[in-house]
Amino acid sequence: MILLKANDKLKTVFLKIIKTMGVNVNWIDLFFIKNNDLILLGKGRSLIFNFDNKRAYSNLLDINVTEDAADEINQNELLENVLNMTLYVFGKWGQIKGLKVEKDYDQLNKLLNYILEDIKIEAVLTNDNLRFYQNGVQITYEDIIQIILDKVKVTEEEKPEQADDAEEQDEEAKQELSLGLWNKMLWKSNKFSFIKEELSEEDKAKSRLGNDFYMVNYKCPVCGDKLYMVVYPIEKEFRIETDESGVYLSRAYTCNTCNEFYTPKPDKLLGEGDVYYLMFEEDKVAYEDYLELMGKQGRRTSNCNFNEYEAEYNKKRQASEIMQEEEENSLPLEELMEEIDFMEEEEIVRLLDKMDAGFYPEENLEKFHQAIEQELRSRKNGKKKIDKDESRSSKKKREKKQKLLSDKAMKNSRKELQKNQNDEKEVDGFEGSKDLITTLLNGDQELFANEVEKLTHKQLGALKILIQSEQGLNENVKKDSINVINKQQSNKIEKELVEKANSCKGKNYAKIITAIEDIKKDESIGNEKNSVLNSLMDLLEQTGKKELAHIISKIPETVSKDQYVIFKNKIEEYKQIDTKLAKKYLDEKRDIVEKQEIGLFIKRANPKDRKSHLALYDKLKEQNFEERNATPFLEKLNEKVYAMDEAAIRKICPEPADITFEDGLQAYDEILLGDFLPDLKSHTLDTIDKRLTKLKMDECEKLVNKISKEISQFMKAESRIYFYRVRKMLRGNSEDTETIIVNNALNTYAKDRGKYEYPILIGDTSYSVNGQSGFVLTPNHIYYSGLLSSGVIDINDIENVYASTKALRQGIYVDKLNSKTVKISSKIKLKEFTMMGKALNDFVDYLKEKPESRNISYLAKEVHQVKCCYRCGYVYKEGSICPRCGSKFNE
């Protein structure tokens, strides 16, 4: 259980919800989380949200907690969201009056999974319940809160996210079971030593367990924790089956730590040690169901009777003498106290035990209790008596880059050579170029300048090269001459560009584009072209917009497919300007028409069933309609098929998260072979698979715990017996010796196990200690492999299992019902080899006791005239809760 103190934000939200629901709850700002319950603790009544049965209700709860024990909720957005998700879920279920959730279940599942994404938890919300999964294994709402708190704690302490210790991880991975093992509800006889110890102040603070069980001063003979007692009113005693006969209980005791129940035998008190006991071991869910069942008739009252055998109980109830005996047994304590001086010490101790066991009303109990203890002390005093490849890769990259640079340099060199050759040709063909050089040699700069004005742009470039190479000219003359040429070149270029730009005015978009491209390609033009290009781009945009406006004006109200293509291609020719609005206008015109065409197409098809809807879906996709227009219609068709498939699947499997194992197998196969939408089928099969996996993992875990308690006492370090710790094995270290041995056994002679058939115990008798011979025990079979034979034996075909120590027959044997005896293992090193055989035999007997309700033949019946409890096999007619074990899984 977890206790949290709400912050101001959460207080505001939940106080508003309490007011909205109109429940009489005086909330003390504490959240109490246990299993799948979120409880808002109040003074008197508390508000309970239960994710299992989707109920939100107020009730009186006897939960003693102190505010100091609560964890403060500080700035933790994830924790706040996980607490607030309660409102979305129960609002959707209609459990919060005045709160309406419009989102559908798909949207809510996306929201919930977005919230839980950081802690890798999957949520599955349906109309019936909310389930949470971690790595495919079902967990509780309490587990989620604890994971968040642990994450915060790790962050604060700057510790690694996961502990390295495998055992610690195993403990954290333990999940609450949704069903547990089958349980034979038979109380067994035994003798225990029950020690008394006064209740401390801490004990008194947690004195109630709930379900009308309250703490007493007896300690559990197994773990030493205080026991809790329930007392039944007279004539409402609780009937149980024992290994002797039926017994009616006036009182019973339980240890909430060990999941065990105790009750004295008839005419006995608990302190005398002669009791019946019922053990649920690690099956907490079955224990809590039975605890609730026992507590329904219990009260915080007194009952002056001892437990009674059924025969005596019925006999007395039929005779009038019962009243007389009850009157004698129920003498007021005041009268008994008057006789205390004449009682033996044993009688006084017994009276004290009866007072502690609820034989007498509580009025003045404490006063008399003290008086009796004082009497006992007086009598006692009176007697005195975590490289090289990277380097190689880098070298290849450098060589490739150098080659690219070299190729580029060679290409540029060839271009320059070609250009020079062209320039030389230009110079060679330029008449008068030599006369200009005699003019410069004579120092006539003015004549040179006048003549230069007459030359073309290319001639000026060629002349520049001749001047640079003329050896008869001094450097100053060359420099001045080249400056004259450069200035003249710039003037000519600017003049040519302006003329070209002016020639574009009044021309269409395509010709302006051509002019711009020509200017860009001319490498002889320098910086002078930028301003001209800018002015041409402005002209291009103005011209383009006018032409686009003209095109748009020609678009008809009803655009056919061919017209749409023609106009679209025209618009796309204007690549240098923004055409978004034009395209949008064209699309909108076409969309109106296309949607009408799609509607008529669907109306003509007029689909009636799943097959015709799917056929129409495929035909619609083939029509080459625009995706944006076809998609909404395709989605609607898909939704209709989805709804049909969902209804069909729900008929096969109403609630995957709650299905029983045998029903789940049958539903899985039926859905797998059925004709359903792939996504829906995959999701449903995945949900069922998670459910079946969880059920069998839980069952395996419990069966392992059960048999290990019986066999561990016979084992030695070298026994080579391995218990299959399912969660550890599934995520385990593949290099671990035990994991290797177990996996070898499972992958060789036990490889034909069913998908959900987890092993319980593996015995390795291989010579090489590699797990390839020995035996594997599962809930359904024994797989074995030895020197001379190997095979598999069905649990229900076993008559007896035993261990032989005879010289020529050492090993573990199985007698089958057909009288055939099979040796499943050679001798294993154990402290008590024969006792090992007996323990295996007892365990096989237990496996054969599986209730009829877990059999496929029972579940295959569509209508059950009577119900057979899934957990204990008890047959009954009325209600959905088993009257023998309290299981709520029989709906």
Side-chain angles (χ1 to χ4, degrees):
M1 66 181 187
I2 299 172
L3 191 64
L4 300 174
K5 175 71 173 176
N7 58 22
D8 291 339
K9 193 186 299 185
L10 289 168
K11 286 180 190 176
T12 302
V13 172
F14 281 90
L15 284 171
K16 186 176 181 180
I17 289 298
I18 292 172
K19 185 177 180 181
T20 301
M21 293 177 69
V23 291
N24 184 22
V25 173
N26 185 7
W27 186 34
I28 59 174
D29 303 337
L30 293 181
F31 293 107
F32 183 83
I33 302 100
K34 184 176 182 182
N35 297 333
N36 279 322
D37 284 337
L38 171 64
I39 302 172
L40 277 61
L41 292 179
K43 293 180 180 178
R45 301 186 76 84
S46 298
L47 181 57
I48 305 161
F49 296 93
N50 183 279
F51 291 102
D52 281 329
N53 59 27
K54 70 173 193 177
R55 287 185 62 207
Y57 60 99
S58 66
N59 200 1
L60 289 168
L61 297 179
D62 194 359
I63 300 176
N64 292 316
V65 296
T66 59
E67 191 171 324
D68 294 340
D71 289 329
E72 293 280 349
I73 301 177
N74 299 315
Q75 296 299 320
N76 189 328
E77 185 178 359
L78 177 57
L79 184 55
E80 291 174 2
N81 287 339
V82 170
L83 289 167
N84 283 330
M85 73 163 56
T86 308
L87 310 182
Y88 284 97
V89 173
F90 285 88
K92 183 64 179 176
W93 286 334
Q95 291 293 306
I96 301 178
K97 193 179 297 183
L99 179 63
K100 187 175 182 180
V101 178
E102 298 289 350
K103 295 180 182 291
D104 59 28
Y105 282 103
D106 285 341
Q107 292 172 319
L108 284 174
N109 273 299
K110 287 176 183 177
L111 173 63
L112 298 184
N113 284 292
Y114 176 78
I115 292 172
L116 300 171
E117 185 178 16
D118 286 348
I119 52 175
K120 296 179 173 57
I121 302 296
E122 178 188 0
V124 179
L125 173 65
T126 68
N127 187 47
D128 299 313
N129 54 43
L130 174 60
R131 295 284 188 258
F132 303 102
Y133 298 93
Q134 183 181 47
N135 299 324
V137 178
Q138 187 176 331
I139 62 175
T140 65
Y141 185 72
E142 180 184 350
D143 293 327
I144 295 175
I145 300 295
Q146 190 60 56
I147 288 169
I148 297 172
L149 295 176
D150 290 344
K151 183 178 180 181
V152 172
K153 185 177 180 182
V154 167
T155 303
E156 289 175 352
E157 298 178 1
E158 297 183 349
K159 290 183 178 179
E161 289 189 5
Q162 293 183 346
D164 293 330
D165 186 79
E167 291 301 321
E168 187 175 324
Q169 290 183 353
D170 281 347
E171 286 299 318
E172 292 174 356
K174 284 185 179 179
Q175 312 298 341
E176 180 196 8
L177 305 187
S178 62
L179 175 62
L181 297 176
W182 53 95
N183 294 276
K184 191 172 183 180
M185 309 307 294
L186 186 73
W187 293 61
K188 298 180 181 179
S189 300
N190 210 332
K191 283 187 176 291
F192 294 99
S193 177
F194 294 92
I195 300 171
K196 289 180 78 171
E197 181 182 87
E198 292 304 314
L199 298 181
S200 64
E201 291 301 319
E202 183 181 353
D203 291 333
K204 292 176 182 178
K206 56 179 181 180
S207 64
R208 283 187 178 272
L209 180 60
N211 296 308
D212 286 296
F213 279 82
Y214 57 93
M215 188 180 287
V216 293
N217 52 14
Y218 282 107
K219 299 172 71 174
C220 173
V222 178
C223 71
D225 283 356
K226 291 288 186 358
L227 295 178
Y228 291 84
M229 178 176 73
V230 63
V231 177
Y232 298 100
I234 294 174
E235 295 187 356
K236 290 187 179 180
E237 287 82 359
F238 187 86
R239 185 190 180 281
I240 63 170
E241 293 282 353
T242 75
D243 52 6
E244 294 180 338
S245 68
V247 172
Y248 276 90
L249 305 185
S250 295
R251 57 194 49 78
Y253 303 81
T254 185
C255 174
N256 192 43
T257 303
C258 299
N259 301 337
E260 294 190 11
F261 291 91
Y262 304 96
T263 194
K265 287 195 172 184
D267 298 319
K268 301 281 185 179
L269 293 171
L270 187 70
E272 297 175 60
D274 199 1
V275 300
Y276 300 114
Y277 76 99
L278 182 62
M279 182 168 57
F280 284 90
E281 298 176 335
E282 302 297 324
D283 197 344
K284 193 73 174 178
V285 170
Y287 166 76
E288 291 184 347
D289 283 347
Y290 195 66
L291 184 76
E292 184 176 340
L293 181 70
M294 293 192 73
K296 282 184 178 179
Q297 291 177 221
R299 296 290 181 271
R300 184 68 187 262
T301 186
S302 63
N303 187 326
C304 59
N305 297 323
F306 290 95
N307 293 342
E308 293 182 273
Y309 290 115
E310 185 175 16
E312 293 297 318
Y313 182 87
N314 292 335
K315 182 179 177 181
K316 289 181 178 179
R317 290 305 178 271
Q318 294 169 2
S320 59
E321 61 185 30
I322 185 169
M323 298 303 297
Q324 181 181 351
E325 182 181 1
E326 286 179 355
E327 288 175 4
E328 292 174 356
N329 285 337
S330 59
L331 285 175
L333 276 174
E334 290 88 342
E335 295 183 24
L336 288 170
M337 290 299 293
E338 293 176 1
E339 304 291 328
I340 196 168
D341 291 339
F342 306 101
M343 293 183 184
E344 296 289 338
E345 187 173 338
E346 288 183 0
E347 291 181 275
I348 298 175
V349 172
R350 187 171 176 83
L351 175 60
L352 196 60
D353 287 341
K354 289 176 70 174
M355 291 172 64
D356 292 334
F359 276 73
Y360 303 100
E362 290 188 38
E363 295 83 3
N364 297 323
L365 199 62
E366 186 175 348
K367 171 186 172 183
F368 292 128
H369 205 289
Q370 292 175 351
I372 294 173
E373 287 178 336
Q374 179 61 41
E375 176 68 21
L376 285 172
R377 284 195 293 271
S378 299
R379 294 195 181 197
K380 287 178 180 177
N381 291 336
K383 292 179 179 178
K384 288 300 174 186
K385 322 219 131 213
I386 330 192
D387 72 87
K388 197 170 180 180
D389 290 335
E390 181 61 27
S391 177
R392 189 178 295 116
S393 174
S394 298
K395 183 178 179 182
K396 287 182 178 179
K397 287 179 181 177
R398 286 197 302 273
E399 290 174 351
K400 185 175 181 181
K401 185 176 181 180
Q402 288 172 355
K403 185 175 185 306
L404 288 171
L405 290 173
S406 176
D407 291 346
K408 185 175 181 180
M410 185 176 290
K411 186 175 181 180
N412 290 338
S413 177
R414 286 174 182 164
K415 279 177 127 182
E416 186 64 30
L417 179 60
Q418 184 67 38
K419 184 176 181 300
N420 290 339
Q421 289 173 350
N422 292 338
D423 289 341
E424 287 175 7
K425 288 179 181 178
E426 182 72 26
V427 171
D428 290 343
F430 172 30
E431 296 181 3
S433 58
K434 291 181 179 179
D435 292 338
L436 286 171
I437 300 295
T438 305
T439 302
L440 285 175
L441 288 170
N442 291 334
D444 195 345
Q445 288 286 350
E446 185 178 351
L447 177 60
F448 177 79
N450 291 333
E451 292 297 324
V452 164
E453 290 181 7
K454 304 173 184 177
L455 301 179
T456 66
H457 179 67
K458 287 187 177 181
Q459 287 174 333
L460 287 170
L463 180 59
K464 190 191 296 185
I465 294 171
L466 283 173
I467 292 173
Q468 287 173 336
S469 62
E470 181 57 52
Q471 295 180 356
L473 293 172
N474 64 42
E475 292 302 318
N476 289 332
V477 173
K478 285 184 179 181
K479 183 178 179 181
D480 292 341
S481 302
I482 289 173
N483 285 338
V484 171
I485 294 171
N486 287 341
K487 184 177 180 181
Q488 193 62 39
Q489 280 184 315
S490 179
N491 290 337
K492 288 185 178 294
I493 291 170
E494 188 173 354
K495 184 178 179 180
E496 290 173 5
L497 289 174
V498 170
E499 290 175 354
K500 187 171 284 190
N502 289 334
S503 68
C504 288
K505 291 180 180 179
K507 291 184 178 179
N508 62 26
Y509 180 88
K511 289 184 178 179
I512 298 174
I513 283 287
T514 302
I516 291 172
E517 294 301 321
D518 288 344
I519 293 172
K520 286 182 177 179
K521 290 177 182 177
D522 194 340
E523 296 180 0
S524 65
I525 305 175
N527 296 329
E528 295 85 352
K529 63 183 177 184
N530 291 336
S531 61
V532 175
L533 285 174
N534 289 337
S535 65
L536 283 175
M537 290 302 296
D538 290 341
L539 179 62
L540 181 73
E541 186 172 0
Q542 294 171 14
T543 304
K545 285 181 178 179
K546 288 179 182 179
E547 293 180 11
L548 269 178
H550 179 72
I551 292 170
I552 291 172
S553 69
K554 297 295 184 181
I555 298 175
E557 286 297 317
T558 304
V559 183
S560 68
K561 182 70 173 178
D562 292 340
Q563 289 174 323
Y564 176 78
V565 172
I566 292 170
F567 280 106
K568 185 177 180 181
N569 291 338
K570 282 185 179 181
I571 292 172
E572 288 179 348
E573 289 175 1
Y574 295 83
K575 296 178 181 177
Q576 302 297 328
I577 63 174
D578 187 357
T579 60
K580 289 179 183 176
L581 291 176
K583 289 179 179 178
K584 183 180 179 182
Y585 180 82
L586 177 62
D587 288 343
E588 288 174 350
K589 290 292 184 182
R590 175 58 189 158
D591 288 351
I592 293 171
V593 177
E594 194 165 82
K595 287 176 182 177
Q596 293 173 349
E597 293 172 355
I598 297 173
L600 289 171
F601 183 83
I602 293 175
K603 188 175 182 180
R604 285 194 297 269
N606 192 23
K608 299 292 186 182
D609 53 18
R610 183 183 189 277
K611 185 177 180 181
S612 57
H613 274 86
L614 284 176
L616 176 57
Y617 183 95
D618 293 335
K619 286 180 182 178
L620 182 56
K621 288 185 71 174
E622 295 169 359
Q623 299 307 305
N624 293 323
F625 289 119
E626 290 294 332
E627 184 178 349
R628 64 180 177 274
N629 295 326
T631 297
F633 292 91
L634 290 169
E635 288 178 350
K636 286 182 180 178
L637 288 171
N638 189 73
E639 286 172 4
K640 288 184 179 179
V641 176
Y642 190 97
M644 294 176 192
D645 287 356
E646 192 173 40
I649 287 176
R650 187 169 288 276
K651 189 174 181 181
I652 297 170
C653 180
E655 179 46 67
D658 286 337
I659 202 167
T660 61
F661 183 77
E662 287 81 1
D663 268 344
L665 282 180
Q666 184 175 341
Y668 190 97
D669 290 341
E670 192 171 343
I671 294 169
L672 180 65
L673 298 174
D675 195 8
F676 303 110
L677 290 175
D679 289 347
L680 178 60
K681 176 188 283 191
S682 176
H683 173 73
T684 307
L685 291 178
D686 183 57
T687 304
I688 294 175
D689 177 69
K690 286 176 180 177
R691 171 65 177 169
L692 300 182
T693 299
K694 172 181 166 44
L695 286 174
K696 284 303 178 180
M697 285 176 69
D698 290 345
E699 180 182 273
C700 172
E701 199 170 57
K702 293 303 174 189
L703 290 172
V704 167
N705 290 339
K706 183 177 181 68
I707 195 171
S708 63
K709 289 181 180 179
E710 302 297 327
I711 293 180
S712 295
Q713 57 186 314
F714 310 130
M715 292 172 56
K716 298 179 180 179
E718 65 273 20
S719 294
R720 292 164 66 187
I721 294 287
Y722 304 101
F723 300 109
Y724 192 79
R725 306 294 179 183
V726 59
R727 288 183 170 83
K728 178 182 177 182
M729 286 293 183
L730 291 180
R731 70 160 192 267
N733 181 1
S734 59
E735 297 179 0
D736 173 66
T737 302
E738 178 180 339
T739 304
I740 292 172
I741 291 173
V742 169
N743 285 337
N744 282 343
L746 301 182
N747 295 330
T748 52
Y749 64 90
K751 61 180 173 51
D752 293 329
R753 299 179 335 277
K755 179 180 178 181
Y756 305 102
E757 185 179 2
Y758 292 109
I760 300 169
L761 177 144
I762 297 93
D764 177 34
T765 60
S766 59
Y767 179 77
S768 303
V769 194
N770 59 11
Q772 294 187 4
S773 64
F775 70 95
V776 174
L777 172 65
T778 77
N780 309 100
H781 303 93
I782 293 179
Y783 299 85
Y784 64 94
S785 177
L787 184 63
L788 300 177
S789 64
S790 63
V792 56
I793 306 171
D794 191 295
I795 290 294
N796 291 318
D797 291 339
I798 297 175
E799 183 174 2
N800 186 35
V801 181
Y802 61 93
S804 174
T805 57
K806 293 181 180 179
L808 299 178
R809 281 179 56 84
Q810 290 187 351
I812 301 175
Y813 291 83
V814 171
D815 288 341
K816 299 176 69 175
L817 293 175
N818 60 8
S819 300
K820 182 179 179 181
T821 298
V822 179
K823 182 178 181 180
I824 64 169
S825 170
S826 56
K827 187 173 180 180
I828 299 174
K829 295 180 180 179
L830 296 165
K831 296 176 184 177
E832 296 287 346
F833 187 55
T834 55
M835 293 301 291
M836 168 73 172
K838 184 179 184 307
L840 282 174
N841 188 62
D842 290 344
F843 189 71
V844 167
D845 285 343
Y846 170 76
L847 293 177
K848 291 193 292 186
E849 289 178 354
K850 182 187 291 190
E852 180 189 359
S853 60
R854 290 185 181 239
N855 296 331
I856 295 176
S857 59
Y858 174 80
L859 291 164
K861 298 175 184 176
E862 292 186 6
V863 178
H864 297 96
Q865 296 301 323
V866 294
K867 296 180 181 179
C868 182
C869 178
Y870 189 88
R871 178 184 286 141
C872 72
Y874 183 68
V875 176
Y876 61 100
K877 293 182 179 181
E878 303 298 330
S880 60
I881 298 177
C882 176
R884 176 172 288 178
C885 73
S887 175
K888 304 171 184 176
F889 207 74
N890 302 307
E891 297 179 359

